[in-house]
Amino acid sequence: MKFCSNCGKQLNDDAMFCSGCGSKQVAAPQPQQPVNANNAAPVNNYNAAPVPPVTGEADVQQNRGIAWLAYASLLLLVPLFARKGSEYCKFHVKQGATLCAVEIVYYILEAIIMAIVKAIFPGQLVYGYFTYYYQDSAATIIFRLLFAAGSIFLLVLSIMGIVNAATGKQKKLPLIGQIPFVEMLMDKIYAALNK
């Protein structure tokens, strides 16, 4: 198994040209295997040639099918661990982790604010159609509509990230894509994984 020296695409051992970029492949000299002194049989050397990392357009084409999972909440762990050497997945995992962190903070704030609003503006018990039911106050309804709009915005960001990752684009998410502390945390996680 060999890789293109230009774009990194995996090629057959006897390929003269790369099927991805069309560049001519230079035949690499075959390394000689060490010989065992006892019976003169070749000794396998598994650490002889490390596989080169896939970069550039080849990286995008190989990993865009899994990179979109970074925007599906906790499923970002799949590309994080399965493709930890891919720069394309790394970019989208950082963006997906930022989105996930914003969603967690948003829903915690929503729960706290809605509890405060319900305490300040309690609803009332109303009789209608042979039974009693609880009716929210006008302030509670307004805050619910505002938070629903925020949830729709987060869903749109998630869809934008999925589309970008699946189509091979590396675009940061609007408004939240520039948050630095999540990216720094993800850089530390990647450094620990690649040790």
Side-chain angles (χ1 to χ4, degrees), residues 5-130:
S5 57
N6 185 38
C7 70
K9 183 174 180 160
Q10 184 176 346
L11 304 171
N12 293 334
D13 289 333
D14 58 347
M16 297 296 291
F17 294 94
C18 175
S19 60
C21 66
S23 65
K24 185 174 181 179
Q25 300 301 306
V26 179
Q30 295 294 325
Q32 292 186 357
Q33 291 193 358
V35 177
N36 188 345
N38 294 337
N39 57 7
V43 177
N44 289 329
N45 189 357
Y46 294 107
N47 296 326
V51 177
V54 179
T55 57
E57 186 62 28
D59 181 23
V60 173
Q61 294 304 320
Q62 265 187 358
N63 296 307
R64 67 182 184 170
I66 196 171
W68 67 269
L69 288 173
Y71 299 97
S73 196
L74 292 179
L75 287 179
L76 69 88
L77 296 174
V78 175
L80 173 65
F81 289 108
R83 299 287 195 272
K84 60 186 175 185
S86 166
E87 289 298 318
Y88 183 70
C89 282
K90 185 176 182 180
F91 172 83
H92 287 291
V93 165
K94 286 181 181 180
Q95 290 294 298
T98 303
L99 178 62
C100 188
V102 168
E103 286 175 343
I104 289 170
V105 170
Y106 176 79
Y107 290 121
I108 289 172
L109 285 175
E110 178 184 2
I112 292 170
I113 291 172
M114 287 306 295
I116 293 170
V117 168
K118 285 183 180 181
I120 296 173
F121 304 104
Q124 56 186 338
L125 206 56
V126 178
Y127 182 77
Y129 298 113
F130 309 110

Side-chain angles (χ1 to χ4, degrees), residues 94-173:
K94 286 181 181 180
Q95 290 294 298
T98 303
L99 178 62
C100 188
V102 168
E103 286 175 343
I104 289 170
V105 170
Y106 176 79
Y107 290 121
I108 289 172
L109 285 175
E110 178 184 2
I112 292 170
I113 291 172
M114 287 306 295
I116 293 170
V117 168
K118 285 183 180 181
I120 296 173
F121 304 104
Q124 56 186 338
L125 206 56
V126 178
Y127 182 77
Y129 298 113
F130 309 110
T131 185
Y132 286 96
Y133 66 94
Y134 183 80
Q135 183 178 11
D136 283 329
S137 65
T140 304
I141 293 170
I142 289 170
F143 274 92
R144 276 200 179 140
L145 290 174
L146 290 174
F147 282 117
S151 296
I152 290 171
F153 175 71
L154 291 175
L155 177 64
V156 168
L157 288 180
S158 180
I159 292 170
M160 287 173 65
I162 290 170
V163 170
N164 286 340
T167 56
K169 297 175 185 169
Q170 286 187 341
K171 288 185 180 177
K172 292 198 172 195
L173 295 173

